[in-house]
Each structure stands twice: as C-alpha cells, then as structure tokens.
Amino acid sequence: MAEREERRFAQVSRESVTLMAESAGVELGEEIAAVLAEDVCYRLREAAQSSSQFMKHAKRKKLTVEDFNRALRWSNVEAICGYGAQDTLPFRSVKEGELFFVEDREINLIELALATNIPKGCAETMVRVNVAYLDGKGNMELQGAVPAAVQSLSDDLLKYYQQITRAILGDDPHLMKVALLDLQSNSKIAALLPYFVYVISGVKSVSHDLEQLNRLLHMVRSLVQNPYLYLGSYVRSLVSSVMYCILEPLAASINPLNDHWTLRDYAALLLSNIFWTHGDLVSGLYHQILLSLQKVLSDPVRPLCSHYGAVVGLHALGWKAVEKVLFPHLPAYWANLQAVLDDYSVSNAQVKADGHKVYGAILVAVERLLKMKALSLSHPGEWCVNAQTGSLAAAVGYRSPGLSPPPESLSEAAFGIASHLQAGSGGCPWEEWAPVSLPAMYLELYSFFGDSLAVRFSTGPGLDSYPYCPSTLLREPKKEALGQGSNSDTARKMPQLTANLSISPRRDGSPRTDPPPPSLAAAGPGRSLARSSSAQRSRYSSSRSGQRLTGLPRDVFPKARFSSPQNGPPTFTFVIGGRQMGQRCQGRRPFQTVFAPTPPPSAVPPRAYAHKLPVIGRVGKPVRRWTCSHYSLLLPL
Amino acid sequence: MAAVQGGMVDEKEEVDIKTEPQSDGFVNTNATDGRQLSPSPGSSSSAGSSKTAAGAPEDQQTLLAVLQFLRKNKLTESVEILRREAGLPEDALDSKGVDCGAPGSGGSAGGVDGLDAGSLLSRVTVSSSAGTPAPTKAAVADDQPDVSVVLSAYSQQGDPALYKVYYSDLKKFIESVLDCHRAELSQVFYPLFVHMYLELVYNNHESEAKAFFQKFSGDQECYYEDDLRVLSSLTKKEHMRGNETLLDFRTSKFVLRISRDSYQLLKRHLQERQNNQIWNIIQEHLYIDIFDGMPRSKSQIDAMSGSLAGEAKREANKAKVYYGLLKEPEIELPLDDEDEEAENEEGKPKKKKPKKDSMGSKSKKQDPNAPSQNRIPLPELKDSDKLDKIMYMKEATKRIRLGPENLPSICFYTFLNAYQGLTAVDFTDDSSLIAGGFADSTVRVWSVTPKKLRKVKSAADLNLIDKESDDVLERIMDEKTASESKVLYGHSGPVYGISFSPDRNYLLSSSEDGTVRLWSLLTFTCLVGYKGHNYPVWDTQFSPYGYYFVSGGHDRVARLWATDHYQPLRIFAGHLADVTCTRFHPNSNYVATGSSDRTIRLWDVLTGNCVRIFTGHKGPIHTLAFSPNGKFLASGATDGRVLLWDIGHGLMVSELKGHTDTIYALRFSRDGEILASGSMDNTVRLWNAAKAFDDLETDDFTAATGHIHLQDNSPELLLGTYMSKSTPVIHLHFTRRNLLLAAGSYAA
C-alpha cells in the first residue's frame, strides 16, 4: 500500500493556471483558477490513462507523444503539434524562478538547408530469421556465447574464455581494457587461440554494430601483440577479419552519423601491424592483400567507403604498396572521384562527403609516397649529405624518440603500430617494381591534386618536425623551437594569410611562431580526436581550415613543388608553388583557387574556405602523447 | 431464482430480485422490505404498475423506450415500422409512457420526485414542444442518454460525515467474524468502497470523499490498484460524466459469490445496526451469488476475482458449449505421389499405409461434444483447399512429437529497422508468409520462403493468357512484380491486428482508424474496408474455415463479419471495457474475446449469446489461444500470468506464473502438448500444457460450484525460458512440423 501512496501524478497548480491565463491575456479570479487547475489535472490524468492504452496496443513500454495525441483526438480535443520527435525532450529548470520548461532551441534554417550531411532516411524494414534455440537447447548467455567445441576445454580455460569474451564484448569499458591487457600478455592461452579467432570471425555478423567491431579489432590487436602466442596459420583468418572491417560496406556505414571511417583506419593500421609482425607466417600474404585491395579499388560499383578502406589499407602497407597499386590506378580512379566531387546537388551531398574522405586518404597516401620516394632516392646518393640522417629519421617520423619506439624495437609488444608501419616501408619486399621517376610522379600527382598536394607535402610532419632539415630540401630551416604556439595563436594569425602567401622562399626569417599543431594536424588526429565523432570533427573544421590557410603556407615548404622534371632527381630544388600557380590547372579547382598566387582578398573570412576544403580525417589538434609522422588517419589505441 | 442454490426460495431472501434479466440497477421493484426508506413512493408505485402490464413487461418497456428514443430523434418512419412490427397500438407510446418512463427515471425521482419523472417524460415524448423547460438532469442526459439516470441513483444520500463510520463499522464487523467467513465477506469491501466514494463525490462532498479515499483505499486488494488510481483522480461530480470506469461500475452489478452462511451473517449485522446506507448499496449495486456449502478460502477467492465487475455468475457458465472439433472432410490422399513412390522403393510402404488408415478413421468419428457439421454454414472446400489439406497431412506425418523431453526448436524472426513501430504480426498456417502491422499505418507482407511475392497481371495482360493451359495459375502471375516483400497502404492509423485467411489469399488488418480492411494477396490491394466500430479496432482474426472473421475494439463490442457482407452478422456486446483480443474456436462455432475489464467471454456464433465468462486475470487480457482439440483456452494478460481454462466445465485449470511483463503471444503446439508464451520481458516460455490438463480434477462438485483448488505448480509446468536479444516477443507460431517461430522487432 505504501507503493501506491508513493505514486504521484500530474499536478497543475493554481498559480500555473493564473500565469497561463495572464499570458493569454485573461484575468482569472482565485476561485476560478482553483477550479480550473483541478479540472486540468483531472483531464490530464484522463488523457494520460487513455493514451497508455494506445501504448499497450502498440506493444511498447514507452509512452509517445503520438499516443497522447491519439487519446486527445479520440476525446475530441485538438492534438498538440511540435513535439513529435522520437528523442526525449530535455526538461530544464531555471533555478532562480523555480521554473521548468521544455528546451526548445531555435533552429537555424539556413544551416539546416545548406547542411551537406543529409540523412538518407532509415533503411528498409526487413525480417531476418535466426535459429535461436535448437531442440529447446540454446545458450542462456546473451553475450560471450560459447561454441559447443569449447566445452571440451578444461574448466579454467573455459572460464577464462567466457570471462574474457564477455568482458570484451560487454558494456563495461574498464573491464574491457583489463581483459584486453590480459589477452595481450597472458602466456597460457595458446589453447584458446582458435576460439578467439572464431569469435573474431564474428565480425561479419555484427557489421551493424561499430562498437562491437571495434572491440573485436581490439581483440585482434591484443592477440597479435601477445608475445607468447604463435599465430601460425590463424594469421590468415585474422587478416581476413580485419580486411572485412577495412573493405566491406559495413551495415553501420549506412548511417552517416556512424564513424566507420575511424574503424577502417584502425583496421588498416592493424592490418599493417599484423603484416609486419606476422606476415612471414603465411607465404604470399602480401600479394593476396594487395590483390584484394586492388580489386576493391578498381571496382567502381563498390561504395566509396570501400574505396576508402582500400586506400588506407594500401597506405598502411607502406609507400611501395601505394606506388605499386594506387599510383598506377589513380588516373582511372580519378575520373570517377572527380565526378562525385564535382556534383554539388543536394542529393549527392553524402556521397560527396564520402568522396572527400577518399580524396583525403589518397592525398595522404601519395604525399607519403612522394616523400618516401624522395628520401629513398636521396639516401643512396651522396649529393645530399645532410639529408641522409635527417631523411631517415624524418621517415620514421618521430618527434621525440621517447614517445615512439625506435625502429629496432618494433617487434616489441609496445604500442608500436605506427612504427611498425614505418619500418615496413623500409623493408618492403616489393623491390622489383619499376618506379616512375619522382618528378614525373610528382607532376602527375600535382595534376590531380594541385596545390593541396604541395601544401600537404610541405607540412609533412616528418620533415617539418625534424629540427635539422637539410637546407637543400628544406628551404626554411626552422628557427623556432617546436611547440611554442598553440592553436589559438594560429587562429589569431589568420589575417596574415595574404602576406604569407606572398612570402618569397628565401625569406627564411619570417617568424616561426608557427607551432607544431598545424603540422601535426596533418599528421593525424590526436588521441582524443580519433575518438571524436564526425560531429565533433565538424566542430573543429573552422579552426582547422584557419590553420591550413595561415599556418600551413608559412610552413617549411609553402607551395613547394618541383620546378621542372628536367632538373633531375639529384638536384632537388623546390620552387615556391605560389609563383607558378595557374600554369597547370587541371587539378582540383577548389584547392587551386584557394591558394591562388594573387593575394586573395583578405576580406574573405577563413570560414568561407572551411567548407571548400574536403572534410577528411585530419584535424588541427596536437598529438599529445606520440606522433605518427605520416599516417594522418591514425587511430590512437 | 437460480441465484438461490437448490431452488428453495427463502422468504427472507431479497436477493431473488437479482434474477431479473434486467441487470441495470434502477428497478427496485420488490426489494422494498430490506430497506427502511423507499427512495420515492412515486417511483415504486409506478414500478409496481409496470409489473402489472400485460405480457413480458420488460420487453415492452424496452420497446417503448426505443420508440421514444426514435421519436425524440424525429425518426418517425422508424417509429412507424417498429410499432407495426411489434404490434403495438398507436397510442401505446403515450398511454404507457408513464409506465415505461418511470423505471427509467425512477432513480432520479429519488431526489426530485414523481413530478420530475413526468417532466422528463414530457420532454422525451413531446420533443416538438421545445418550450417545455427541461429539467437540469435531462440536459445532462443529452450526450449520453443513460448517464444522468445512472448517476442519479446516487442522489439518495445520508450524512456524508457518517460514511466513514459506516464503513469502519462494517470493517470491524468483518474482521471480527470467524476466519472461514472473513475471506468471503471481505469481497464486499471493494465494491462498497467504490460506491460509497462515488456517492460522496456525486453529492459534492469533495473533502469527505478525499478523506474517505485516503482512509480506506489502502485496505483494498492490490489487484484493484489500476481502478483505484482512476478513482482517486475523480473528485468532482462533473468528472463522473463520461468516465468509463465509473459507468461500468454503475451499469453493471458487481458480482460476488458468497456462501449462504456468510451472507446471513452479513445481513443480520446490517439489519441490527440499521446500516441502511450500506444495505442500500448492496441491494442496488451488488449481485450476491449465494451458494450452499462451505465458504471459500482466500486463495480460492483471489484466483477468481480481479475483474472489473467481480466474478462471473455461476449460471453464466452453465450453457452447453460444443467444444469438439468438426469432422474433417474426407480427402483421398493421392498415394501415387512422387514421395510415396520414392519411399516405396526404399521399402517402407507397410509402415506408411496403416498410418494413413488410422488417420482416416479418426476423422470419421464424430466427436460427441462437437457441434453438428452445419451448425453454422461454412464455405465449401475449393480444390486448392483440398490440396492444402493434403499438404497439411503430409507435413503432419513429419511432425515432431513434443514433450517435456523433446522441446521445440525456436526460430526468431526479427524485424529490423522497424522504426515505424511494429504493432502486430501474423504467420500463415503453412509458415510461408509473414505479415507485420505497423504504427505508421502500413501493413507489410514478406515471403519467408525463396518463393517471391508476385501480383496478378493486369486485366489487359490476363486476356492474352491461354486459359486452358495447365499452369494457368502460374501464368496469371506477373514475374516483373516479384519481390521479397510488399507494402499495403490504406489505413490511417496504427495497425493493431492482422490475420491471414486460411487459404492465404486474403489478409485482414484492423486499425486505430476504426476500420478493418481486407486485402488481396494476389493483387496486393485493398478489397474492402469494413466500417462499424468507429473506434480503434484492437484485434481481428479470420475463422479457421475462412469467410467469417471477428473484430473487437475500443467500443467494447466484438463483431462477427462475413467477408462478403459490409455489415456485421453478429455483435457480441457485454464487455465492460475495450475488447482487446479476439480468437475463433477451432470449430468456428465460438468466439473468445479478452477485454480490458479483465474478463474473457466466449460467444456462440450461432446465437450471439455469451456462453462463458472467465474471471481471474488481474490486468487487461492481451492474448488468447485455443488448444488444438478445442477443449481448453489459454489467456495472457498484463499481469504476466497465463491462465488455462476448461471450456466445457467453465473452470480455471491452471495458473502459469513466470513472466514479468505483459504477455502478448500464446500458442499451443500442433498436438497441444506444449504451450508457448511470449512476452514484453523478452522471453519465450514453454509450458507443459499436457500435464496441466491431465492434473485437472473434474469431479462433479467442482464442476457444479465452480470452486477450484489451484495448486501453485507453475515451476513444475515451466519447461524452459528462452531469452531473445532485447526483442519483445509479440507473436508465436508453431509450424506444421512443430517448429516454434517467434517474432518481434528489435528494441534498441
């Protein structure tokens, strides 16, 4: 009976009625207000009760606004409009006035109308069947299901298996971390490996659930990094699971709000990690991976997210893979991508956004290709002594050695994914590949990317962050210590945009207040940002674009490009791109126009460029703990 | 007289007035000796005169009332026709008007007096004379004619301050009686409490009413909580008008079953104390069903109570119900079938043949409890139906025999991306199609076999077809339209009920928009919209033989329809609240309806009579299922309990407790061994139905008195609990081979 008394129901006080009457311009007597209040209470409860009937018949537990409106309609009362949203309405209070109100924010219609990520609408309703229980027997576990075969294991192992899978796939992030750490270091789990591999192969059944996919990938990483485990032929299974995450048009991708890009990036990293550490276990794995990546890339029917996966996959496999597969394929692919990017129709907005992602990924990949190629060429030659040490170090690309393990320690079980990647680029077995000469390659790429390539190239953190840049390569040796500025600084520098663009290459003395963040922005999303959703990303977009415009051009290589192919590889001279702008203009228009040599009107606010720049996975935020030199789409672990 | 056990009429027995068919509470003809104060001499005398009217007075009164109503609404032609039909003289309306008007307004006369009745009558009969000032109560009566009359019964009032005293006095008395009587007499508390509270509210004693509620609401049984909540919000006389729960209370008498001894105790006490207030309420608003013998125990009472209007009267469940199955038509099994040949080659013909024979002989036997074959006309079997029957029999031979050791496999059909809200699901009997009704007014049909859904070609294309060819049925289909699913648009509100026809050619859907629609699954268009309910239609179902269907909705009636009639054939009225679910008996002669008034009723399709009332649920009933042999009925409600009923004896058989939320789906396995229940708590539970029915002791005493002894054996009967992945189970279906299919939409 006590319970019953605890139940409270809607009360509308006399004061509220008076207040509402006043706001409607009616003076109410005290008594009338009291009577009205009481009647309103009763009617409210009555409507609530009859609306609950609609809820029950709709077989729901949640009373919706629609239910209430139906009840009103059947009692001949006008329905209340404007509260039809499925989400819960935030009910806020004003402390001072003891006022409660439903938050009803104004919506900027212009923003809404011009928004590029237009939801596609929900997917088709469908029915899927699964055998839940066979002969009345099934597992009662909701998660961490145990395959029948596992039951033959010893009790301890079985328990371990159950605990680990449940922890990893469960809801508790802390528990998951612990489980992953243990999986990474436990020396006695060899017997369980097949089962874990089996669990991981479940990626295909959870392609709608990013969270679960992520967890499974974490599991892969832990297994791969466990020094006591001999993966053997299970590598192939793991690789195929990871490739699934990279390449497949996951069900989760349907919703543009789902950040499946990060998942693909992470999976790509993982792929390179597996390959460089365990690739020797399966012969021909590299070729197989390359082939499947190539197949996806050359299949125009595949969605853009698959292409993106292929590009980041190639990128992760090293610059030689990029050179071998992506570069020759680029002219053919470019036509398709260009068509997507140039379609400004509203219906294309989502596809276009996806296209920009691919564009960005390609850009990152080819930049590193160029850079690495340049370094690999410069390394053997004696014509660039200074560059020797620098380039190698730059190639590895760590700013502070303490944060990123040196190449020698790559095989260690530390978080060395980025390093693995780098080391791999050095030891790529793809030796017989006949390379295109660097200038030719650059020219070709420049024809695609225009200035954005130069900008990106110039801001490569590996070169930028290296303190002693060879003067032949880097015309603007850094004079300022790194890390002086901050993001806000760069933002304030925005007015210098035009001045920066007109700086001559020789004017080294321009104050290097430019902080590493912009360059690192190119390097990759920081620890926090990688986790950020696309929404967060867009929040940063304005400041990011500002950095691009101000910080980047003033970087070491503002507008750098090869002067001419005739100069030949031995002599690397970089001419500021700004001068020759417009000579070859087949590239992407937005990027060339943005960085046109003629000083752009400073009146143009940086924000205007914001949405001209492709929305790609680079964000202007410093990487705090460790850097990864080239891999811009790096996901922190 | 049936209320008095044994047929003996005790001269002190006042309750015999309850045997009058007129259940409405405002005729107090000969109940006068029990009360000290007759509310109105005028009304009682006029009621007396109505008694003396020739023929069946109630019938005539009803007729006259109808005539008056028609005349009031100026339907003169209808008045003429009805009068001719009824053979009433033209002046009957006027001369007998006083007689018939008086009982109707008898209650209201209590407060005002006979003159009021007269003016009310004059308003009713001479509607053209608009100048006549209508009494205030008549104005109230405008929108709902009987409300003011009903409510006015409360106008007799005692001292409001004394209500508490009366009630606590009775409470004290009941608490002091012997234990064996206490449980029975305690049943009086709830209806008394409600009526006293309503009287206080009606007479504008708001503060007293509130105090009364506060003081005694805690004493009531917990299963009345929902009703009490409604009551508690009702504190004004104006609110009483149009409140359905209240109307239910007033228009129907709360039925209590009390043993003779207990009843005598109560009566003596009340007479000694001159506690007229309570005695009046008992007289007017309660129906006390007295039986001879031992008083019932608390658990026995609790098992049966909980409905909106008390228990079912015993005589309500006395009618004979032909629950047996109809004889299956004899269909020759084509023995030269390919399968058979193949099996013959394997050398198993001997096993097969006797089986066939036994099946044939089984269907030849006429069940003694079955209705005659043509009790209600059933559609003739078409060739395709026969083919389907053959398929059914073939499948049946491959059926898995289920039992506690052999539980069915469960397949779950999950509706993905059902953002619009899945509200109803149905499978065809052969499990080839699944249909979903959605809150966005659409109906979607999927094929769950590789065979895609196709439309029939257009009329022009159909002309080109060779109609003589053997595969003409195949040729009429338009390959171009083949798809896995089809969407049916037509409703303008959520689709709450959905049902395939047995031949799979039609689909029924009922919706919030008040219509039931019939869809063709050949053209995937709407064929008919059946209008009649005017309020949301909560459920609909095809008869197992097709052609007929039943629907039930917010208007508290269930309707029986035939697909080729745009008006209902039968209206089953009697529930006090929404009819939430409707099911056909396997022999198609009966319809079961479950309601928000927490009762289940069984209706005879032939006569339209209510033949069974089952009480015992403590919440609105949301699903029903007949056992395949037609003997038993299972019901599931919001209280999370499944109750099993013996239809023949009209008794509760078992109570299955385990679910923690509303049960939305119930289904017996094909051989009736297992009962599956699906609930909002995301589980499917399997129950040993065979054991529950075997345990049933149907001795004559239990059958005669309806006093059941339920042992709490749910844990033994529960065979398994199966969780879905956060998907409420809203439909269950056993395939012909006894594979259990469950359906629901994923609730993220």
Side-chain angles (χ1 to χ4, degrees), chain B residues 133-172:
Chain B
T136 46
K137 278 192 189 118
V140 164
D142 271 341
D143 46 348
Q144 277 170 307
D146 60 337
V147 178
S148 72
V149 176
V150 167
L151 291 181
S152 61
Y154 278 137
S155 56
Q156 38 169 314
Q157 57 168 313
D159 185 353
L162 288 177
Y163 274 62
K164 266 195 216 171
V165 181
Y166 291 146
Y167 190 88
S168 44
D169 183 48
L170 183 72
K171 198 174 146 191
K172 236 177 266 164

Side-chain angles (χ1 to χ4, degrees), chain B residues 398-467:
Chain B
K398 294 172 189 164
R399 180 181 297 162
I400 299 161
R401 183 137 185 100
L402 298 178
E405 271 72 54
N406 197 10
L407 294 176
S409 303
I410 306 174
C411 281
F412 208 102
Y413 284 81
T414 312
F415 286 74
L416 300 171
N417 306 322
Y419 302 108
Q420 59 279 80
L422 181 69
T423 44
V425 178
D426 195 34
F427 285 95
T428 54
D429 187 66
D430 67 349
S431 319
S432 64
L433 301 176
I434 184 172
F438 291 87
D440 69 347
S441 317
T442 59
V443 176
R444 286 155 205 262
V445 186
W446 284 267
S447 169
V448 292
T449 59
K451 199 177 153 193
K452 298 216 162 148
L453 300 175
R454 295 170 300 176
K455 288 186 192 175
V456 169
K457 286 177 183 165
S458 70
D461 290 341
L462 283 176
N463 277 332
L464 305 174
I465 290 172
D466 174 13
K467 287 160 194 78

Side-chain angles (χ1 to χ4, degrees), chain B residues 210-436:
Chain B
K210 274 184 182 161
F212 184 77
F213 189 90
Q214 208 126 53
K215 184 141 194 242
F216 299 114
S217 66
D219 300 345
Q220 310 307 325
E221 297 288 350
C222 53
Y223 39 77
Y224 293 119
E225 198 179 313
D226 287 348
D227 290 345
L228 288 178
R229 199 176 312 141
V230 174
L231 274 185
S232 69
S233 64
L234 192 135
T235 52
K236 289 237 182 298
K237 187 176 170 182
E238 297 82 62
H239 295 158
M240 290 172 84
R241 221 187 319 135
N243 188 305
E244 289 168 9
T245 317
L246 170 77
L247 276 181
D248 296 338
F249 241 94
R250 302 293 303 121
T251 53
S252 64
K253 293 195 172 185
F254 198 93
V255 181
L256 304 171
R257 278 194 213 171
I258 294 185
S259 71
R260 182 177 299 280
D261 296 349
S262 307
Y263 178 71
Q264 297 289 10
L265 267 176
L266 177 69
K267 200 174 80 179
R268 207 169 305 136
H269 167 78
L270 290 177
Q271 279 176 347
E272 273 169 24
R273 292 295 180 105
Q274 307 255 310
N275 200 338
N276 299 320
Q277 206 67 38
I278 287 181
W279 186 244
N280 283 346
I281 289 173
I282 291 180
Q283 284 294 309
E284 286 175 37
H285 304 304
L286 306 193
Y287 179 102
I288 300 186
D289 193 355
I290 295 172
F291 62 87
D292 285 318
M294 218 171 65
R296 291 187 296 168
S297 70
K298 176 95 175 100
S299 66
Q300 277 178 314
I301 292 167
D302 280 349
M304 301 298 289
S305 53
S307 98
L308 199 59
E311 294 184 49
K313 300 170 193 172
R314 268 168 308 147
E315 73 262 19
N317 286 343
K318 285 285 184 269
K320 165 116 179 107
V321 174
Y322 301 99
Y323 55 80
L325 300 185
L326 294 181
K327 206 168 64 176
E328 285 292 315
E330 286 169 48
I331 301 165
E332 281 177 34
L333 281 176
L335 284 167
D336 53 344
D337 199 81
E338 287 165 33
D339 302 358
E340 299 298 320
E341 275 172 25
E343 298 210 8
N344 282 350
E345 282 162 26
E346 285 165 35
K348 291 182 188 168
K350 281 173 196 165
K351 265 191 180 173
K352 278 276 161 181
K353 272 184 180 165
K355 239 188 200 172
K356 288 278 145 60
D357 287 345
S358 71
M359 266 179 52
S361 66
K362 201 196 262 176
S363 63
K364 267 171 218 153
K365 249 190 285 167
Q366 171 76 36
D367 188 335
N369 289 311
S372 66
Q373 208 68 10
N374 51 5
R375 189 166 177 267
I376 60 163
L378 292 174
E380 275 181 36
L381 281 185
K382 291 176 294 202
D383 285 350
S384 57
D385 297 331
K386 286 178 183 162
L387 269 174
D388 199 53
K389 285 253 187 285
I390 292 167
M391 278 302 295
Y392 175 77
M393 287 184 198
K394 272 191 200 162
E395 290 275 296
T397 58
K398 294 172 189 164
R399 180 181 297 162
I400 299 161
R401 183 137 185 100
L402 298 178
E405 271 72 54
N406 197 10
L407 294 176
S409 303
I410 306 174
C411 281
F412 208 102
Y413 284 81
T414 312
F415 286 74
L416 300 171
N417 306 322
Y419 302 108
Q420 59 279 80
L422 181 69
T423 44
V425 178
D426 195 34
F427 285 95
T428 54
D429 187 66
D430 67 349
S431 319
S432 64
L433 301 176
I434 184 172

Side-chain angles (χ1 to χ4, degrees), chain A residues 46 66 137 238 329 371 457 461 513 525 531 540 624:
Chain A
E46 197 182 30
E66 207 178 322
K137 285 184 225 57
L238 289 180
H329 192 65
K371 230 177 284 180
F457 188 25
T513 49
R531 254 178 270 126
Y540 286 114
R624 260 173 251 130

Side-chain angles (χ1 to χ4, degrees), chain A residues 1 4 38-39 56 133 135, chain B residues 206 217-218 239 410 664 723:
Chain A
M1 300 305 118
R4 201 181 298 154
E38 214 160 338
D39 195 58
K56 279 179 191 156
Y133 296 92
D135 291 335
Chain B
E206 198 180 322
S217 66
H239 295 158
I410 306 174
Y664 278 117
M723 303 228 238

